[in-house]
Each structure stands twice: as structure tokens, then as C-alpha cells.
Amino acid sequence: MQWLTSGESSPITSPLKIMGPCSAESEEQILEAAAMARDAGAHMFRAGVWKPRSRPNSFQGMGSYALPWLKRVQQEYHMPVCTEAANPHHVEMAIQSGLDAVWIGARTMTNPFAVQELAESLKGTKLGILIKNPINPDLELWCGGIERIIQHTASEKLLAIHRGFSVYRPRVYRNTPMWEIPIELRRRYPKLSVICDASHIAGEKKLIYQVVQTALNLDFDGFMLEIHPNPEKAKSDAQQQLNAEDLKTLLSKLVFRKPISEDPDFNANLEALRYDIDQLDREILSMISTRMDVVREIGKYKKANQVTVLQFERWKQMMESRSMSSEELLLSSEFIERFMQLIHKEAILHQNKIMNENGDQNS
Ligand code: PEP
Ligand code: MN
């Protein structure tokens, strides 16, 4: 994240903070939000000028008319500024206006043609590029988008943004975090910084704190927050934008932890506990392997007796009885259900293979 420093200031120590309103609405609102961001220690200011709205009659953003407002923030508040770019024209305008970075939004990221065009238009520019995840939980698509950008720009000014994944009927979050996806992204690209856009995951103010804190607990490189001097009047995403007071409270509650410790006692104890975990994992896998031996035995027996792989009643009973032990085992019934489904899926594969061996269904 060295690129976010102008060279004069010291390098950013994690976590990176990007703040700003969902949309640029007026010059006054932008300057007020910038003051909030600066006072909160933001490293970069964000504001959408072209807004990817679901419905055509909602506020679509102020367009390039708002770009000079961002330039003012950059010059008067000494913060790098970014906006969303969804096509080469937006990139061109961002460059002409002297912005520091663009983000590629979640909707654009679902379309490889659009990402390709953007990647080509970003070639040779000095813009930083912030790549959100696509709205659907498709890690390959996210990786593919990142690869297209890397191939064309050879840019080191890259950052990935986890903003959650959209579902048909959102329950807790507006966009479910599915933390395992950004975790896997980080495993694949260890050098890529990944930050969490907690506002678009949460969708409402009261959930933002726990999303940011979870991201910090998972050692994300930073977070993005939508802030607004007067959220009730916001023209987009009103429920999830924080006012100065909310922002202050949220930042004061956050606990920042370090990924490693220098304390030798702590490290020795951790190592001992991890040894236990390694042992237990080996035992679990070995027991699952033994379980699969029995599964194959049953498969052969069913085959010899012309009985199907699946007995629905038995499967139903198994799920019910296994979930019943959830309290006693201190495991959530959801976890037990998902775990059993995984085991059962594998068992079916083993038995189905036995049934279809030699292409002879009767032997
Ligand atoms: C935004 O950041 O304002 C935005 C539209 O985000 P996303 O693409 O994640 O929905
Ligand atoms: Mn928004």
C-alpha cells in the first residue's frame, strides 16, 4: 500500500481506511464529508459520481460535473481521492480530472467484457485501481477480473475490496460476507492487499461495527466506510452512511490486534495448542476414511441385493439424530447439517461408483 503515500509522508501502517459518501451530491456535502474523513484519519476519500443504480428513476449521480469537487478535496485536504469507473469514458474523465484512483464496482466485475475494456483503458495510467468482488459469490470471476487488470496495467497500485455477495432474500446483511471467499482470495494472491467495504456488506448502520471488527479480526488490510454529513438526506444508500457522531463512536469501539506476537511464552503455548489441533485433524480424517470403508462395504452389499444408493428415510433420520447432539457438543446445528451433507455427498459418490463399476448393474 506504499502507493497511497505521496512520498513525503511515512508509509501507511495497517489498517488502511477509505471513507466518503456513497455519492457526490453537492460541493458542500463533499467538503463536509472530506472534513469528517480527514478528522477520522482516512487515508483516501471516496465518492461515486456515476452511480450504478438498480432502477432508472433513482438518483444516477452527478456525473463529471462533480469531479472538480473531488479535486478540491485532494488539494485542500491532502487526501488521495477515488471514484467508481465502469467504462473507458469514466477512466478518461478520472485521468483528466487528476483523480488518484478508481474503483471497479461489483456489478461491473460480473462482466468480463466490461472488465477487459476497463483494463485496456487503464493501461499505462498512474491511477490506483480498487477491485471490488462481483455481486455473485464467484471467486473465479473475481480472480479473473484481477488477472485481466494485472495483465494489462502491470500496475502495482492495486487493492481488492470485499463488499459481500448479493442474495435473493437478504436476511442479516444486505450483502452476505461469505468470509471464506476473500480468505481464499488472499491465499491465492498473498501480495494483494484486501480491504473490507463494511458499509455495503452491512446495509444498515447498526451492523457496520461488527463487520469492520470481523474484518480486522481476520487480518484484513483495512476497511472502507460510507460517511455523510447528513445521512437522512442522502440520495443513495441512506441507511448505511454514518454521520460524524456515528463514525466517532464506531472508530472508538474498534479493537486493533496484530497478526503475530513477539512474546515467546505466548508463541510456545500457541504452538502446543496447534500441535493438538494437528493431531485432532489427523484423527478426524482417519476416522472419515474408516467411515468411507464402511460406506463402500454397504455399497457393495446394496449392489448385490439390487438396492438403491439412497434411502431417503434413513438420510432424514440421520440428519435429525446428528443435529440433536448439537447442544451437547457445543456445535451449531447448522454446522452439523453442512458437515453431514458434505460427508453424505462423498458417500454417495463412493457408492455410485461401485454401482456403476464394469457397467454391469446386476453383478
Ligand atoms: C459503492 O461503493 O458506492 C458501490 C456502488 O458499491 P458496489 O459496487 O460494491 O455495490
Ligand atoms: Mn453506496
Side-chain angles (χ1 to χ4, degrees), residues 259-274:
I260 44 168
S261 165
E262 305 288 323
D263 178 351
D265 284 348
F266 166 81
N267 285 329
N269 287 336
L270 186 66
E271 207 171 302
L273 289 166
R274 283 184 171 162

Side-chain angles (χ1 to χ4, degrees), residues 137-148:
D138 185 340
L139 176 64
E140 298 309 322
L141 201 54
W142 195 5
C143 292
I146 292 168
E147 279 157 17
R148 280 176 206 277

Side-chain angles (χ1 to χ4, degrees), residues 37-49:
R38 182 204 48 200
D39 294 349
H43 301 98
M44 185 181 255
F45 184 74
R46 61 145 286 155
V49 304

